Amino acid sequence: MPNMIELSYREALQKGIVEEMERDQNVFLMGEDIGRYQGTFKVTRGLVEKFGQRDNRYNLRILDTPITEAGFAGIATGAAMAGLRPIVEFMTMSFSILALDQIINHTAKIHYMTNGVVKCPIVFRGPGGAAKQLSAQHSHSMEGWYAHVPGLKVLAPSTPADVYGMMKSAVRDDNPVILYENPGLYAIKGMVPEDDAAFTVPIGKAAILREGKDISLVGYSRMTQINLEVAELLAKDGIDAEVVDVRSLLPLDTETIYASVKKTHRAVVVYEDWRSGGFGAEIAARIGEDCFDDLDAPVLRVGGLNVPMPYARNLELQCIPDADDVLAAVRKAF
Amino acid sequence: MSNLTEEFPSISSNDLKQYLREMLFIRRFEEQCNIAYRAGLAGGYMHTYIGMEALASGWINSIRKGYDYVITAYRDHAHALLLGTDAVAVMAEIIGRKGGTAGGKGGSMHIYDPENGFYGGWGIVGGHVPLGAGLAYAARYRNEDRVVLNFMGDGAANQGVVYETLNMASLYDLPCIFIVENNEFAMGTRLEYHAADPELWKRGQPYNMKCERVDGMDVIQMRKDAQRIIDWVRENQKPYWVEVMTYRYAGHGAADNDRQLYRTKEEEEVAWARDPIARLRKYLIENNIMSEEAIEAVEAETEAEALAVLEKAKESPFPDTDEVYDNIYTDMTPEKGH
């Protein structure tokens, strides 16, 4: 067993980035205010001092960019085509909307359009979903949009150990990867391998975080933390819930999800994105198609309200799924 | 071999003969593409380079082929041919065959050949311009002395992402030459109807970048200007913005069958008087470098070669249906089925 250390999600993420930058000189970081300003959510705190010089006009390994998302996403993509391995931070995933033409029309398709000749190893990462009162333009959940696109891989880890190991896997992957971080997770703590540089978490594998026999709570990112809380509440009522942490949206580990549903015969899919058309709808549809005979109740979804995120704290909280919303769905399943 | 020009760069008469042959081959190749399109062999969008041959020839004959990077938009056949991509593979791609540069998955707009330094072949106007700057970023990151030829059309010169890229290219000292192929039309919209200031050469100025306008209809002058600019960029590790004046004799694409919607026949006739191939032909005869008969022989040869290329490309089979999932990822396939 490796030595374990307690780290926040934010610290674990940085540990993954630093280890990959030290392992491979081709790995570099770019984004808005990631260097001198230390990162808006402080994921990159201290890195310009570690890998560059604060006083340099620019540092090629820790590159502060102008606020031009399409431009720097494209430059990163071109650099990846030529063999570098960029990690691109979006200050929030909401701003990646400005770069969608680059990511979807260029990055995701290069390998196919060249019939495998050109690879595009690149990681786009950043916080997605609601933080706290950032209102309509800064609270987008973008993971479902990206998981719609062939050519991308999409990860949404829920624990410090997973974000650490998945960050490393993402950098080593030869395909473009979106690493989606919910800002509500940055401060949570968990145990992470301290000095095991070979540690990674595989892409495309879901995890069972709590075993149970009565109902499957299927979610990813921060909603997995909600599902763990709900499972404890249900245990008091004698309902034994299984918590399936999807972790990887594309590719999707249906094997683990289906095995859980075949055991519990009930499923609630929980996601923060708008309920209508969000990625949870895709998971629910697949369970419905492939596990119909195993189900004792319809597959239920709990998603964010279908409204632009409002500013007032009470309205914002109303929009984001919480334990009560998941409990209500669970009751409908019995 | 005597040099025709005393000033830098020296261009030999053999070089000029090579340019003539290449330009003639490109024109005949593009004509075969049109034939293939009309015959239903090629589909989709297909854009030919007829009239613009001197431009790509001048630039690409001034780089270190296979070392420097080249990227362009969808009017991309000529760039690939000049870089040395197998003409049959280019034609096979245009008609969607397995033997194409992308196995039939790209088509006319998406020709790639990274071994020869060619990174496409892109369909979104202006969208590839940051990718070209990214290629330059990689060169700079690795302390190489490569330069990037980043071609775009005059229509692209209005796209927002182009200006984001110019800012960053200048900010980070990227060895990237932004080349606006100004053929006077963004699809069917004339320059003065799409550009608030049609003097596109000025548009690098706000980014603290060297800028100029040059002539792309005279291959000798194009070759000289290109070499001067490329050498400067390689030496100084800074970007450069160049507007190159040219003209598109053909329509925007093969589906553009009514050019009178945006220009007159008289205008086209005036433009044909600037034909870069006729111009070089005249220069070679007047300077006793090639005889009329010798040129006619090259014309006949290139015509036969282009014809043979299409015939050869047609022998390539269509891609197998089970290849449809190949190379979406390096290591997996997406969920299969409808």
Side-chain angles (χ1 to χ4, degrees):
Chain A
M1 279 292 287
N3 295 326
M4 301 296 278
I5 183 174
E6 186 178 60
L7 292 178
S8 69
Y9 190 96
R10 175 188 285 115
E11 292 163 339
L13 176 57
Q14 186 188 92
K15 181 171 160 65
I17 293 169
V18 167
E19 285 179 13
E20 291 308 298
M21 288 187 70
E22 286 172 339
R23 185 184 59 79
D24 184 350
Q25 286 294 312
N26 284 326
V27 179
F28 72 99
L29 206 57
M30 68 193 299
E32 295 155 358
D33 280 315
I34 62 163
R36 295 176 194 87
Y37 189 72
Q38 313 285 306
T40 304
F41 285 85
K42 306 302 173 197
V43 170
T44 55
R45 191 197 303 269
L47 295 192
V48 73
E49 292 80 4
K50 190 175 179 69
F51 292 101
Q53 301 291 330
R54 269 192 75 85
D55 298 336
N56 284 3
R57 195 156 58 86
Y58 53 84
N59 289 281
L60 292 175
R61 288 206 86 192
I62 303 285
L63 190 73
D64 276 321
T65 67
I67 304 171
T68 50
E69 289 81 5
F72 68 72
I75 287 177
T77 299
M81 286 165 63
L84 300 186
R85 305 185 87 85
I87 303 172
V88 179
E89 174 174 304
F90 288 115
M91 190 183 289
T92 92
M93 282 291 180
S94 297
F95 303 161
S96 76
I97 295 171
L98 284 103
L100 281 183
D101 174 60
Q102 287 301 317
I103 299 170
I104 295 174
N105 241 335
H106 297 82
T107 321
K109 292 176 181 164
I110 288 167
H111 196 61
Y112 196 69
M113 293 204 309
T114 63
N115 204 24
V117 175
V118 179
K119 291 177 184 166
C120 199
I122 184 167
V123 183
F124 295 106
R125 51 152 292 270
K132 196 172 177 184
Q133 290 192 277
L134 300 183
S135 64
Q137 293 188 316
H138 290 69
S139 303
H140 281 278
S141 295
M142 295 297 297
E143 74 283 2
W145 300 46
Y146 290 119
H148 186 56
V149 182
L152 299 178
K153 297 185 180 183
V154 182
L155 311 178
S158 70
T159 68
D162 280 354
V163 78
Y164 166 61
M166 292 187 121
M167 181 72 230
K168 291 169 56 126
S169 292
V171 172
R172 296 178 195 192
D173 201 286
D174 278 338
N175 303 280
V177 179
I178 308 285
L179 187 85
Y180 168 86
E181 305 148 14
N182 189 291
L185 290 172
Y186 282 133
I188 69 160
K189 299 210 163 179
M191 300 308 287
V192 175
E194 184 179 13
D195 46 16
D196 180 9
F199 175 85
T200 58
V201 172
I203 291 171
K205 293 284 174 208
I208 305 295
L209 294 194
R210 184 189 192 282
E211 292 201 21
K213 60 179 177 17
D214 297 331
I215 189 165
S216 299
L217 304 178
V218 183
Y220 54 84
S221 193
R222 195 175 79 83
M223 291 299 113
T224 290
Q225 298 293 341
I226 302 280
N227 286 343
L228 287 167
E229 185 187 331
V230 168
E232 292 310 312
L233 295 170
L234 288 171
K236 290 176 191 160
D237 293 339
I239 296 173
D240 188 13
E242 177 148 297
V243 176
V244 183
D245 188 13
V246 174
R247 299 200 293 190
S248 170
L249 277 52
L250 180 60
L252 182 65
D253 179 9
T254 49
E255 199 178 319
T256 300
I257 297 168
Y258 294 171
S260 175
V261 173
K262 283 172 203 271
K263 182 170 75 169
T264 64
H265 309 293
R266 289 177 170 81
V268 175
V269 183
V270 188
Y271 51 110
E272 188 186 309
D273 193 5
W274 289 311
R275 184 173 192 275
S276 178
F279 193 73
E282 173 70 23
I283 299 174
R286 295 218 205 174
I287 296 171
E289 275 185 337
D290 295 332
C291 306
F292 184 75
D293 292 336
D294 298 293
L295 288 166
D296 288 342
V299 185
L300 297 166
R301 288 178 294 146
V302 177
L305 298 191
N306 292 319
V307 300
M309 191 60 77
Y311 167 74
R313 184 61 174 158
N314 64 322
L315 294 181
E316 180 182 51
L317 288 172
Q318 188 184 342
C319 289
I320 306 166
D322 61 16
D324 287 340
D325 299 318
V326 180
L327 283 167
V330 169
R331 280 187 212 107
K332 279 193 347 198
F334 284 94
Chain B
M1 190 60 60
S2 63
N3 289 332
L4 296 160
T5 52
E6 293 196 359
E7 74 272 42
F8 180 85
S10 63
I11 303 170
S12 71
S13 51
N14 266 356
D15 291 336
L16 291 181
K17 289 177 187 172
Q18 177 203 322
Y19 304 159
L20 180 76
R21 175 173 283 275
E22 287 173 345
M23 288 163 62
L24 278 168
F25 180 71
I26 291 167
R27 189 162 294 182
R28 299 289 98 84
F29 180 95
E30 298 289 48
E31 286 166 0
Q32 288 301 315
C33 290
N34 280 329
I35 288 167
Y37 189 89
R38 284 197 294 271
L41 290 162
Y45 294 134
M46 193 190 73
H47 316 82
T48 65
Y49 210 68
I50 292 170
M52 299 166 64
E53 297 90 347
L55 197 163
S57 174
W59 282 100
I60 291 174
N61 279 305
S62 303
I63 59 168
R64 297 184 197 161
K65 288 188 192 179
Y67 179 68
D68 293 328
Y69 296 136
V70 178
I71 190 167
T72 189
Y74 41 77
R75 199 177 301 281
D76 60 349
H77 309 166
H79 306 76
L81 295 173
L82 286 161
L83 283 166
T85 308
D86 174 33
V88 175
V90 176
M91 186 62 86
E93 190 59 41
I94 291 164
I95 61 172
R97 304 301 173 99
K98 196 182 174 92
T101 46
K105 284 175 174 156
S108 161
M109 298 190 286
H110 306 300
I111 309 291
Y112 300 87
D113 184 9
E115 266 188 37
N116 283 307
F118 191 44
Y119 281 81
W122 297 89
I124 304 299
V125 170
H128 69 282
V129 173
L131 306 188
L135 296 170
Y137 190 87
R140 175 142 182 72
Y141 188 93
R142 294 190 288 234
N143 283 318
E144 299 161 343
D145 64 347
R146 295 180 213 252
V147 301
V148 177
L149 302 186
N150 200 339
F151 292 93
M152 71 190 93
D154 51 293
N158 298 315
Q159 278 280 27
V161 75
V162 172
Y163 297 98
E164 297 185 13
T165 303
L166 294 190
N167 181 47
M168 278 182 274
S170 191
L171 194 62
Y172 307 141
D173 304 322
L174 303 183
C176 186
I177 305 166
F178 299 95
I179 302 163
V180 180
E181 299 178 329
N182 182 359
N183 63 24
E184 299 187 29
F185 296 92
M187 277 191 67
T189 300
R190 187 183 286 278
L191 182 66
E192 55 263 41
Y193 298 142
H194 75 69
D197 181 353
E199 294 195 44
L200 301 179
W201 68 273
K202 296 175 183 169
R203 293 191 176 192
Q205 284 179 338
Y207 303 96
N208 200 17
M209 193 181 296
K210 279 176 85 91
C211 301
E212 65 182 281
R213 171 186 273 179
V214 297
D215 176 18
M217 297 303 264
D218 174 359
V219 72
I220 297 172
Q221 189 58 44
M222 183 75 269
R223 170 79 179 78
K224 286 184 197 167
D225 287 328
Q227 191 70 61
R228 170 175 55 80
I229 292 167
I230 289 165
D231 288 353
W232 188 90
V233 168
R234 206 186 299 281
E235 169 80 22
N236 292 280
Q237 290 287 301
K238 300 231 184 264
Y240 212 114
W241 172 266
V242 194
E243 179 190 22
V244 189
M245 306 310 286
T246 184
Y247 197 81
R248 187 190 80 202
Y249 294 141
H252 165 68
D256 169 4
N257 52 22
D258 189 3
R259 300 197 297 277
Q260 309 309 309
L261 290 171
Y262 53 85
R263 67 191 189 199
T264 62
K265 285 195 170 120
E266 292 71 33
E267 176 187 329
E268 289 190 356
E269 275 164 29
V270 171
W272 271 107
R274 296 159 62 210
D275 178 12
I277 293 179
R279 183 174 186 151
L280 178 59
R281 197 180 192 286
K282 185 160 171 274
Y283 181 95
L284 293 172
I285 292 168
E286 282 178 0
N287 289 275
N288 297 317
I289 299 165
M290 287 181 87
S291 65
E292 180 90 35
E293 294 72 28
I295 291 176
E296 281 168 6
V298 175
E299 285 169 337
E301 282 163 28
T302 48
E303 177 140 24
E305 284 166 23
L307 199 69
V309 161
L310 178 57
E311 290 308 310
K312 187 84 185 152
K314 278 154 69 175
E315 291 171 16
S316 178
F318 290 104
D320 300 328
T321 51
D322 60 6
E323 288 175 44
V324 73
Y325 291 110
D326 291 350
N327 298 313
I328 298 168
Y329 297 93
T330 61
D331 57 353
M332 59 176 256
T333 54
E335 192 201 17
K336 294 188 177 181
H338 287 288

